Amino acid sequence: MKVRDFIKIYGAIILFHLAVVYRGDEGQMLWLSKPLILVSLLLFAFSKIREGAGFLMPLIPALVFSLFGDVALMFQQGPAFLIGMGAFALAHIAYSYWYLKQGTGLKWQAFVIALVLALAAMYALLQLVILPEELSIPIYGYFGLLSLHFILSAMAWQAQKISIWPLLGIALFIFSDWWIAWSKFGGALDEHWHNRFIIMLTYGLAQGLILLGIIARKA
Protein backbone atom coordinates (compact mmCIF):
# COMPACT_ATOMS: atom_id res chain seq x y z
CA MET A 1 0.00 0.00 0.00
CA LYS A 2 1.26 3.46 -0.89
CA VAL A 3 1.67 6.14 1.75
CA ARG A 4 -0.99 8.38 0.22
CA ASP A 5 -3.52 5.53 0.32
CA PHE A 6 -2.74 4.74 3.95
CA ILE A 7 -3.08 8.43 4.86
CA LYS A 8 -6.77 8.21 3.92
CA ILE A 9 -7.27 5.20 6.17
CA TYR A 10 -5.27 6.74 8.99
CA GLY A 11 -7.20 10.00 8.72
CA ALA A 12 -10.48 8.08 8.96
CA ILE A 13 -9.24 6.28 12.10
CA ILE A 14 -8.29 9.56 13.76
CA LEU A 15 -11.67 11.08 12.87
CA PHE A 16 -13.38 7.98 14.26
CA HIS A 17 -11.56 8.35 17.56
CA LEU A 18 -12.23 12.09 17.72
CA ALA A 19 -15.93 11.39 17.20
CA VAL A 20 -15.81 8.96 20.14
CA VAL A 21 -14.08 11.61 22.26
CA TYR A 22 -16.69 14.21 21.27
CA ARG A 23 -19.51 11.89 22.30
CA GLY A 24 -17.85 11.27 25.66
CA ASP A 25 -17.96 7.51 25.17
CA GLU A 26 -15.88 5.79 27.87
CA GLY A 27 -16.86 2.25 26.92
CA GLN A 28 -16.06 -0.19 24.14
CA MET A 29 -15.84 2.42 21.39
CA LEU A 30 -13.09 4.26 23.25
CA TRP A 31 -11.17 1.04 23.88
CA LEU A 32 -11.48 0.21 20.20
CA SER A 33 -10.72 3.58 18.64
CA LYS A 34 -7.74 4.81 20.66
CA PRO A 35 -5.45 1.75 20.33
CA LEU A 36 -6.44 1.50 16.67
CA ILE A 37 -4.36 4.61 15.93
CA LEU A 38 -1.06 2.92 16.80
CA VAL A 39 -2.18 -0.52 15.67
CA SER A 40 -2.77 0.87 12.18
CA LEU A 41 0.69 2.48 12.11
CA LEU A 42 2.28 -0.77 13.29
CA LEU A 43 0.51 -2.83 10.64
CA PHE A 44 1.51 -0.36 7.92
CA ALA A 45 5.11 -0.33 9.13
CA PHE A 46 5.23 -4.14 9.09
CA SER A 47 3.78 -4.16 5.58
CA LYS A 48 6.50 -1.80 4.37
CA ILE A 49 9.18 -3.90 6.08
CA ARG A 50 7.92 -6.94 4.20
CA GLU A 51 8.29 -4.88 1.02
CA GLY A 52 11.95 -4.31 1.86
CA ALA A 53 11.94 -1.21 4.06
CA GLY A 54 14.28 -2.70 6.66
CA PHE A 55 15.21 0.78 7.89
CA LEU A 56 11.87 0.81 9.73
CA MET A 57 12.73 -2.08 12.07
CA PRO A 58 14.24 0.14 14.83
CA LEU A 59 10.99 2.15 14.82
CA ILE A 60 8.82 -0.87 15.69
CA PRO A 61 9.71 -0.71 19.43
CA ALA A 62 8.80 3.00 19.41
CA LEU A 63 5.35 2.20 18.05
CA VAL A 64 4.87 -0.74 20.42
CA PHE A 65 5.82 1.32 23.48
CA SER A 66 3.54 4.12 22.27
CA LEU A 67 0.66 1.66 21.98
CA PHE A 68 1.35 0.39 25.49
CA GLY A 69 1.44 3.98 26.74
CA ASP A 70 -1.87 4.76 25.07
CA VAL A 71 -3.54 1.79 26.74
CA ALA A 72 -1.98 2.53 30.14
CA LEU A 73 -3.24 6.13 30.08
CA MET A 74 -6.79 4.92 29.47
CA PHE A 75 -6.87 3.70 33.07
CA GLN A 76 -7.71 6.49 35.47
CA GLN A 77 -6.64 4.86 38.73
CA GLY A 78 -3.38 3.96 40.45
CA PRO A 79 -0.02 4.36 38.76
CA ALA A 80 -1.46 4.49 35.23
CA PHE A 81 -0.05 7.96 34.53
CA LEU A 82 3.49 6.99 35.53
CA ILE A 83 3.30 3.69 33.63
CA GLY A 84 2.04 5.47 30.52
CA MET A 85 4.71 8.15 30.78
CA GLY A 86 7.37 5.47 31.24
CA ALA A 87 6.17 3.65 28.12
CA PHE A 88 6.33 6.85 26.08
CA ALA A 89 9.80 7.57 27.49
CA LEU A 90 10.93 4.21 26.07
CA ALA A 91 9.25 5.12 22.77
CA HIS A 92 11.27 8.33 22.55
CA ILE A 93 14.46 6.40 23.32
CA ALA A 94 13.64 4.08 20.41
CA TYR A 95 12.90 7.02 18.11
CA SER A 96 16.18 8.68 19.20
CA TYR A 97 18.09 5.46 18.51
CA TRP A 98 16.74 5.46 14.96
CA TYR A 99 17.98 9.01 14.43
CA LEU A 100 21.41 8.18 15.88
CA LYS A 101 21.69 5.33 13.38
CA GLN A 102 21.32 7.84 10.55
CA GLY A 103 24.78 9.23 11.32
CA THR A 104 23.88 12.88 10.92
CA GLY A 105 26.64 14.13 13.19
CA LEU A 106 26.36 17.27 15.28
CA LYS A 107 24.57 20.10 13.48
CA TRP A 108 25.09 23.09 15.73
CA GLN A 109 22.46 25.37 14.23
CA ALA A 110 19.69 22.79 14.52
CA PHE A 111 20.95 21.68 17.94
CA VAL A 112 20.89 25.16 19.43
CA ILE A 113 17.53 26.19 17.94
CA ALA A 114 15.83 22.94 18.97
CA LEU A 115 17.31 23.10 22.47
CA VAL A 116 16.17 26.70 22.95
CA LEU A 117 12.65 25.86 21.74
CA ALA A 118 12.44 22.83 24.03
CA LEU A 119 13.63 24.79 27.05
CA ALA A 120 11.21 27.62 26.21
CA ALA A 121 8.33 25.14 26.14
CA MET A 122 9.32 23.77 29.55
CA TYR A 123 9.78 27.25 30.99
CA ALA A 124 6.35 28.33 29.74
CA LEU A 125 4.77 25.23 31.29
CA LEU A 126 6.39 25.86 34.66
CA GLN A 127 4.95 29.38 34.66
CA LEU A 128 1.46 27.90 34.37
CA VAL A 129 1.54 24.82 36.56
CA ILE A 130 2.97 23.52 39.79
CA LEU A 131 4.14 19.97 39.26
CA PRO A 132 3.40 17.52 42.07
CA GLU A 133 6.60 16.92 44.02
CA GLU A 134 6.35 13.15 43.66
CA LEU A 135 6.06 13.46 39.87
CA SER A 136 8.57 16.23 39.22
CA ILE A 137 11.62 14.00 38.66
CA PRO A 138 9.82 11.55 36.31
CA ILE A 139 8.31 14.46 34.36
CA TYR A 140 11.67 16.23 34.01
CA GLY A 141 13.25 12.96 32.90
CA TYR A 142 10.52 12.36 30.35
CA PHE A 143 10.83 15.91 29.05
CA GLY A 144 14.57 15.39 28.62
CA LEU A 145 13.97 12.34 26.41
CA LEU A 146 11.24 14.15 24.48
CA SER A 147 13.65 17.05 23.90
CA LEU A 148 16.39 14.66 22.78
CA HIS A 149 14.02 13.21 20.17
CA PHE A 150 13.23 16.74 18.99
CA ILE A 151 16.88 17.79 18.81
CA LEU A 152 17.96 14.67 16.91
CA SER A 153 15.07 15.12 14.49
CA ALA A 154 16.06 18.75 13.88
CA MET A 155 19.66 17.77 13.21
CA ALA A 156 18.58 14.98 10.85
CA TRP A 157 16.43 17.49 8.96
CA GLN A 158 19.33 19.94 8.65
CA ALA A 159 21.49 17.08 7.37
CA GLN A 160 18.73 16.28 4.84
CA LYS A 161 18.29 12.77 6.22
CA ILE A 162 14.55 13.33 6.72
CA SER A 163 11.89 15.63 5.33
CA ILE A 164 10.26 18.37 7.39
CA TRP A 165 7.29 16.14 8.30
CA PRO A 166 8.88 14.03 11.08
CA LEU A 167 10.24 17.23 12.63
CA LEU A 168 6.77 18.75 12.58
CA GLY A 169 5.52 15.48 14.05
CA ILE A 170 7.73 15.60 17.12
CA ALA A 171 6.91 19.31 17.51
CA LEU A 172 3.22 18.34 17.66
CA PHE A 173 4.14 15.56 20.10
CA ILE A 174 5.70 18.16 22.39
CA PHE A 175 2.61 20.35 22.09
CA SER A 176 0.32 17.42 22.89
CA ASP A 177 2.34 16.45 25.98
CA TRP A 178 2.62 20.10 27.00
CA TRP A 179 -1.17 20.38 26.81
CA ILE A 180 -1.59 17.19 28.84
CA ALA A 181 0.63 18.56 31.61
CA TRP A 182 -1.07 21.96 31.59
CA SER A 183 -4.58 20.53 31.62
CA LYS A 184 -3.78 17.94 34.28
CA PHE A 185 -1.77 20.07 36.68
CA GLY A 186 -2.74 23.65 35.90
CA GLY A 187 -5.75 24.09 33.63
CA ALA A 188 -8.28 21.93 35.47
CA LEU A 189 -9.48 20.72 32.07
CA ASP A 190 -8.48 17.09 32.34
CA GLU A 191 -12.01 15.72 31.98
CA HIS A 192 -13.36 18.13 29.36
CA TRP A 193 -14.07 16.60 25.95
CA HIS A 194 -12.53 19.51 24.02
CA ASN A 195 -9.31 19.09 26.00
CA ARG A 196 -9.06 15.41 25.05
CA PHE A 197 -9.99 16.36 21.49
CA ILE A 198 -7.00 18.72 21.19
CA ILE A 199 -4.64 16.20 22.78
CA MET A 200 -5.67 13.27 20.58
CA LEU A 201 -5.80 15.33 17.38
CA THR A 202 -2.25 16.63 17.84
CA TYR A 203 -1.00 13.26 19.11
CA GLY A 204 -2.50 11.33 16.22
CA LEU A 205 -1.05 13.77 13.71
CA ALA A 206 2.31 13.64 15.48
CA GLN A 207 2.68 9.87 15.33
CA GLY A 208 1.50 9.78 11.73
CA LEU A 209 3.82 12.55 10.56
CA ILE A 210 6.86 10.94 12.20
CA LEU A 211 6.38 7.48 10.71
CA LEU A 212 4.84 8.38 7.35
CA GLY A 213 7.31 11.22 6.84
CA ILE A 214 10.22 8.83 7.35
CA ILE A 215 8.70 6.22 5.03
CA ALA A 216 7.98 8.75 2.27
CA ARG A 217 11.53 10.14 2.44
CA LYS A 218 13.29 6.78 2.55
CA ALA A 219 11.08 4.93 0.06
Side-chain angles (χ1 to χ4, degrees), residues 12-212:
I13 291 172
I14 291 179
L15 290 175
F16 171 47
H17 178 64
L18 293 178
V20 172
V21 170
Y22 174 74
R23 291 181 57 195
D25 193 330
E26 299 288 341
Q28 294 179 347
M29 297 303 288
L30 180 65
W31 284 89
L32 170 65
S33 63
K34 186 175 182 181
L36 191 58
I37 295 173
L38 262 296
V39 168
S40 67
L41 289 175
L42 270 167
L43 291 175
F44 186 61
F46 277 123
S47 73
K48 302 307 286 187
I49 290 172
R50 285 197 299 268
E51 294 174 7
F55 62 88
L56 292 176
M57 278 302 299
L59 293 176
I60 296 300
L63 298 174
V64 171
F65 285 128
S66 294
L67 175 59
F68 185 80
D70 279 344
V71 174
L73 292 177
M74 293 175 73
F75 294 92
Q76 301 297 322
Q77 298 82 21
F81 181 76
L82 275 176
I83 293 173
M85 185 167 60
F88 278 111
L90 292 173
H92 289 301
I93 290 174
Y95 277 126
S96 297
Y97 173 72
W98 185 89
Y99 281 111
L100 289 172
K101 281 178 65 68
Q102 305 312 301
T104 58
L106 182 60
K107 303 297 180 183
W108 280 106
Q109 183 178 9
F111 174 83
V112 171
I113 293 175
L115 179 61
V116 169
L117 290 174
L119 291 175
M122 190 62 183
Y123 176 79
L125 179 64
L126 293 177
Q127 302 309 302
L128 297 173
V129 306
I130 299 177
L131 298 177
E133 185 176 350
E134 67 276 11
L135 292 178
S136 60
I137 293 178
I139 289 175
Y140 286 134
Y142 173 78
F143 179 77
L145 293 172
L146 184 66
S147 300
L148 176 63
H149 181 176
F150 180 53
I151 290 169
L152 291 174
S153 180
M155 291 195 298
W157 177 65
Q158 185 180 350
Q160 298 184 341
K161 297 287 186 177
I162 61 170
S163 67
I164 190 66
W165 301 114
L167 179 57
L168 292 177
I170 182 55
L172 281 175
F173 215 128
I174 292 175
F175 176 83
S176 179
D177 284 346
W178 188 96
W179 195 279
I180 289 174
W182 173 70
S183 62
K184 189 174 185 66
F185 303 120
L189 296 174
D190 199 30
E191 299 303 319
H192 292 215
W193 75 264
H194 58 271
N195 177 63
R196 296 183 182 183
F197 191 96
I198 292 171
I199 290 169
M200 290 311 302
L201 174 61
T202 53
Y203 170 73
L205 290 174
Q207 291 280 23
L209 285 172
I210 293 170
L211 179 66
L212 301 179

